[in-house]
Amino acid sequence: MAAFRGNAPWLWALAALTLLRLAAAWWLPPAPDEAYYWVWGRALSLSYYDHPPMVALWTALGSALAGDTALGLRLLGPLGVAAASLLLADAGERLFPGRQAGPWAAALLNATLLFGAGSVLMTPDTPLLVFWCAALWALARLHASQDGRWWLAFGVLAGLALLSKYTAVLLGGGVVLWLLLERQARHWLADWRLWAGGALALLVFSPVILWNARHDWVSFAKQGGRAGATATGSSLRYLGELLGGQAGLVTPIIFLLCAAGTVAACRLWWKRGEGAGAAGLLAAITVPAALLFLWQATGSRVQGNWPAILYPSACLVAAGCLGPRWARWRRPGVALGLGLTLLVLVQAAFAPLPLPRRSDPTLARLGGWAEFAATLDAERAARGAGFIAAEEYGLASELALHLPPTTRVVAIGDRWDLFDLPAPAAGGTGLMVRSERRGGPPLWPGAVEEGGIARSRHGIEAERYRLHRVVTTVAGEGPPLVLLPARR
């Protein structure tokens, strides 16, 4: 690839970073959402209530290769991100030849917490960003070569991105906007390969459509209902949270470079300067999606990971469209980003700073799960209960992943009715664990409270839970009950 001629140090740095991420993936305990996706991988389906199925496929393949371990369910994340970095670097060299834009774009993206530390965790954003970068690479090859066959590759890769997360639709929307606004690209509208690429994207995504059609469109309704949703907080508060959160997750210098690069790309596209076509393509992909998130923040909170899709193209324009005055901030930005990423991973793995839950999100999400599961299993045995139950999907999944295979976990709630998982036999007695942060009465009919238990890391409390004695009922007499898969 064009990006790697004379860039051996960059490749060695990427290899070392990938090894560090694999080590962190092996060491860090899975977060509740990751454990939930592990359950998906053990109950494969065409799609799921929360997201399309790609994260389940990645988790299932990783677990098949490395077992039902933290490394197993995360294995494809660091490897996929390394491949995406190579593709993004090559894309930058083809869009902005002679400017070293590709390696710098990949370096900036890898130095963000969203992409750097986030690649250690297995969430739908991980495969989404990998296929998003791959789709950008196909577009760069198309733009540089004017070979229409790259539309077919882009269609497949965009379809795989859609199979990862619904926000990938913004990639297609940006490309359509570019085709309409860029006069030198409009000739593609008469090329059958463009339309064939669109058909391939739809074909790749079709399992999700089929699953939704069979399940009353519940997933489309859930995710589509978030667009334009309103909440009780003020617009200024949500906008401040969005911008401040992105500056933190992307790291301040890289966030500023991405914003300045996007403005420079729009200006270059407008003035038709050298590289205007490439700048326009990336601006069309970045700006409308950014405006959508800003609009969403005028009415409700935008989760910090949602805008992650902006940064592959934003890093490309930051590396390819900014002049020397801005370029001098690249090295400090990468150094700061990698340093912050290392600090976050060290805190998550070893907790050298005794921070309370409110100041340490790694404690709340990752802290003390193995010890908590062992203590809870001892409580179950002492009380003569046959199983452990939970109504929070992340908690139930964590327990299924950490408890010994002989201790089965029963999950309760409507979402489990969409899984092909067996129901427990009626009349069994179990011990249900429920977070004290969860309001309202227990979902389990007839649950009787019997004390409590805490989860902690190095003596610092992460969460407190109430224990309840429960009895399984006949199917159909209460909320859905399912037996979660056991660890192999």
Side-chain angles (χ1 to χ4, degrees):
M1 289 184 178
F4 314 132
R5 300 188 188 102
N7 276 298
W10 183 87
L11 292 173
W12 282 113
L14 178 62
L17 193 57
T18 302
L19 289 176
L20 174 64
R21 288 168 176 162
L22 286 170
W26 169 74
W27 183 266
L28 296 177
D33 283 347
E34 291 183 283
Y36 182 46
Y37 302 135
W38 167 77
V39 173
W40 290 19
R42 295 290 302 277
L44 289 173
S45 178
L46 294 178
S47 192
Y48 300 88
Y49 172 64
D50 309 81
H51 295 290
M54 186 61 72
V55 68
L57 297 173
W58 279 37
T59 300
L61 180 56
S63 296
L65 294 172
D68 289 333
T69 63
L71 177 62
L73 65 93
R74 294 168 172 158
L75 180 63
L76 296 192
L79 299 179
V81 164
S85 301
L86 298 175
L87 295 176
L88 191 74
D90 188 68
E93 291 303 280
R94 294 180 186 279
L95 291 171
F96 304 106
R99 304 185 192 182
Q100 284 290 298
W104 273 115
L108 290 170
L109 187 60
N110 274 274
T112 65
L113 287 173
L114 274 173
F115 200 77
S119 65
V120 174
L121 306 178
M122 181 52 68
T123 71
D125 293 293
T126 310
L128 169 66
L129 287 171
V130 170
F131 290 121
W132 189 286
C133 290
L136 285 179
W137 169 75
L139 287 174
R141 298 293 295 259
L142 169 78
H143 181 76
S145 67
Q146 292 297 300
D147 184 345
R149 289 175 295 181
W150 283 104
W151 282 118
L152 306 179
F154 172 75
V156 172
L157 294 169
L160 292 171
L162 265 175
L163 214 59
S164 303
K165 200 171 181 181
Y166 294 127
T167 46
V169 72
L170 297 175
L171 175 61
V175 171
V176 170
L177 183 64
W178 173 67
L179 290 169
L180 295 176
L181 295 180
E182 175 56 61
R183 58 178 179 270
Q184 295 183 3
R186 289 175 193 158
H187 68 93
W188 292 120
L189 295 171
D191 193 312
W192 68 270
R193 291 168 293 189
L194 166 68
W195 301 99
L200 285 172
L202 188 62
L203 180 63
V204 172
F205 185 62
S206 61
V208 179
I209 301 174
L210 179 59
W211 184 91
N212 272 274
R214 292 174 175 174
H215 295 88
D216 298 321
W217 310 102
V218 292
S219 184
F220 288 166
K222 177 182 186 293
Q223 298 297 345
R226 293 183 173 184
T230 57
T232 57
S234 70
S235 298
L236 289 178
R237 173 189 171 187
Y238 293 136
L239 283 168
E241 286 181 358
L242 172 61
L243 295 176
Q246 291 307 296
L249 289 171
V250 181
T251 70
I253 297 176
I254 297 177
F255 181 73
L256 184 60
L257 287 171
C258 287
T262 302
V263 172
C266 293
R267 184 181 302 155
L268 181 62
W269 192 19
W270 177 261
K271 294 183 175 181
R272 306 306 303 173
E274 183 182 356
L281 172 60
L282 296 172
I285 291 171
T286 309
V287 173
L291 292 176
L292 178 65
F293 291 123
L294 287 170
W295 168 73
Q296 179 72 36
T298 63
S300 63
R301 179 172 289 110
V302 174
Q303 298 299 322
N305 61 303
W306 293 357
I309 55 175
L310 302 175
Y311 296 106
S313 53
C315 286
L316 283 170
V317 292
C321 296
L322 293 177
R325 184 167 61 92
W326 285 99
R328 64 184 179 180
W329 288 101
R330 293 172 181 170
R331 292 184 187 278
V334 170
L336 176 63
L338 292 177
L340 290 174
T341 298
L342 184 61
L343 287 176
V344 169
L345 293 179
V346 168
Q347 179 65 19
F350 305 107
L353 300 176
L355 300 175
R357 175 192 167 101
R358 65 178 179 275
S359 303
D360 187 358
T362 70
L363 171 63
R365 305 297 291 170
L366 305 177
W369 284 111
E371 298 81 1
F372 174 70
T375 302
L376 189 60
D377 197 35
E379 288 280 348
R380 174 201 62 79
R383 297 165 188 253
F387 60 86
I388 292 177
E391 60 186 39
E392 298 151 270
Y393 67 87
L395 173 58
S397 302
E398 283 279 8
L399 295 174
L401 185 58
H402 283 96
L403 287 168
T406 52
T407 302
R408 299 306 300 271
V409 175
V410 175
I412 179 173
D414 291 337
R415 73 173 58 235
W416 298 108
D417 206 26
L418 300 172
F419 286 76
D420 186 18
L421 290 169
T429 300
L431 184 66
M432 187 177 80
V433 57
R434 189 172 190 265
S435 172
E436 290 187 358
R437 295 175 180 270
R438 194 170 176 87
L443 295 178
W444 198 299
V448 179
E449 186 173 343
E450 292 187 350
I453 189 175
R455 173 171 60 90
S456 61
R457 182 179 67 188
H458 303 334
I460 301 176
E461 186 176 290
E463 190 100 18
R464 293 198 63 83
Y465 303 85
R466 294 186 177 92
L467 301 178
H468 302 261
R469 179 171 290 273
V470 294
V471 178
T472 54
T473 58
V474 176
E477 290 188 358
L481 300 176
V482 297
L483 276 172
L484 296 189
R487 189 181 68 215
R488 292 172 293 200

